[in-house]
Amino acid sequence: FRTAPNSPINPATDDLGGGAFVLANGINDSGQVVGTSALAPVFRTAPNSSINPATDDLGTLGGTYIREAFGINASGQVVGVTTLSGDTFSAYHAFRTAPNSPINAATDDLGTLGGNYSAAFGINASGQVVGDSTLVGDASDHAFRTAPNSSISPATDDLGTLGGTNSYASAINTSGQVVGFSYLSGDAAYHAFLYTDGVMYDLNNLIPAGS
């Protein structure tokens, strides 16, 4: 569904359609919505419109098993994840589309931090993308942030962790600040983080003592 501004859900007008199973994961200032549906597995709607399977299905990076759109910016660039050609679970990659364009497998695959898996969850106006990716050997996942309209660079885009094995980024603002969560040393707990100016901050440490 997509509501009118500051309004509750109106069943008569806000159902986006798309088949029996539909998830909306992101929206931009124009009212374009992205997500996954039975009839358009990776979709981006026209502004303030319902899902049109004939025009809104963005395609994939070559596979069909895993395919979902999670974020969209004001330009209509969409990020998400799909399996690759060959259609196995041995690899899935994050993608970023060109503005208001379908997925182009030749240009939109963001790659990984060295492993076989990556997924993208947020994008800002500059085309910087955040998400998580496995490292070489696929034994750990780290949060990443790309350069504007660039693929993932293992040398520069790994945001690290708060001491644990895994971290995951979920959103980014226009300044390039990233939020998500990371496991702590020992992997027995995880905390929200803010990544800014090259440092990952544990947000639990910013909560006033005793609050």
Side-chain angles (χ1 to χ4, degrees), residues 104-149:
N104 182 334
T107 59
D108 297 346
D109 185 342
L110 296 186
T112 74
L113 289 172
N116 291 311
Y117 307 96
S118 64
F121 297 102
I123 182 171
N124 66 11
S126 302
Q128 289 180 287
V129 176
V130 295
D132 63 88
S133 169
T134 56
L135 308 186
V136 175
D138 295 327
S140 60
D141 261 306
H142 281 192
F144 71 79
R145 177 190 59 204
T146 70
N149 295 306

Side-chain angles (χ1 to χ4, degrees), residues 141-193:
D141 261 306
H142 281 192
F144 71 79
R145 177 190 59 204
T146 70
N149 295 306
S150 300
S151 57
I152 298 168
S153 170
T156 59
D157 298 345
D158 186 342
L159 302 188
T161 75
L162 291 173
T165 302
N166 301 317
S167 62
Y168 306 88
S170 55
I172 181 170
N173 67 13
T174 56
S175 301
Q177 293 177 300
V178 181
V179 293
F181 69 97
S182 170
Y183 282 85
L184 309 184
S185 180
D187 293 333
Y190 55 82
H191 285 180
F193 72 75

Side-chain angles (χ1 to χ4, degrees), residues 1-200:
F1 67 86
R2 178 207 300 107
T3 69
N6 296 306
S7 301
I9 298 171
N10 183 337
T13 59
D14 297 346
D15 187 344
L16 294 183
F21 303 99
V22 187
L23 290 173
N25 293 321
I27 185 171
N28 65 11
D29 288 342
S30 300
Q32 291 178 287
V33 176
V34 296
T36 184
S37 76
L39 299 181
V42 180
F43 72 80
R44 173 188 53 226
T45 70
N48 295 308
S49 300
S50 58
I51 298 168
N52 183 341
T55 59
D56 297 345
D57 189 349
L58 301 184
T60 75
L61 291 172
T64 59
Y65 285 154
I66 297 173
R67 44 193 179 168
E68 189 153 4
F70 290 107
I72 183 171
N73 66 11
S75 300
Q77 290 180 287
V78 178
V79 295
V81 59
T82 84
T83 45
L84 308 181
S85 180
D87 222 12
T88 70
F89 288 107
S90 62
Y92 53 78
H93 284 186
F95 69 82
R96 178 207 301 110
T97 70
N100 294 307
S101 299
I103 297 170
N104 182 334
T107 59
D108 297 346
D109 185 342
L110 296 186
T112 74
L113 289 172
N116 291 311
Y117 307 96
S118 64
F121 297 102
I123 182 171
N124 66 11
S126 302
Q128 289 180 287
V129 176
V130 295
D132 63 88
S133 169
T134 56
L135 308 186
V136 175
D138 295 327
S140 60
D141 261 306
H142 281 192
F144 71 79
R145 177 190 59 204
T146 70
N149 295 306
S150 300
S151 57
I152 298 168
S153 170
T156 59
D157 298 345
D158 186 342
L159 302 188
T161 75
L162 291 173
T165 302
N166 301 317
S167 62
Y168 306 88
S170 55
I172 181 170
N173 67 13
T174 56
S175 301
Q177 293 177 300
V178 181
V179 293
F181 69 97
S182 170
Y183 282 85
L184 309 184
S185 180
D187 293 333
Y190 55 82
H191 285 180
F193 72 75
L194 167 67
Y195 186 93
T196 185
D197 296 326
V199 178
M200 182 179 285

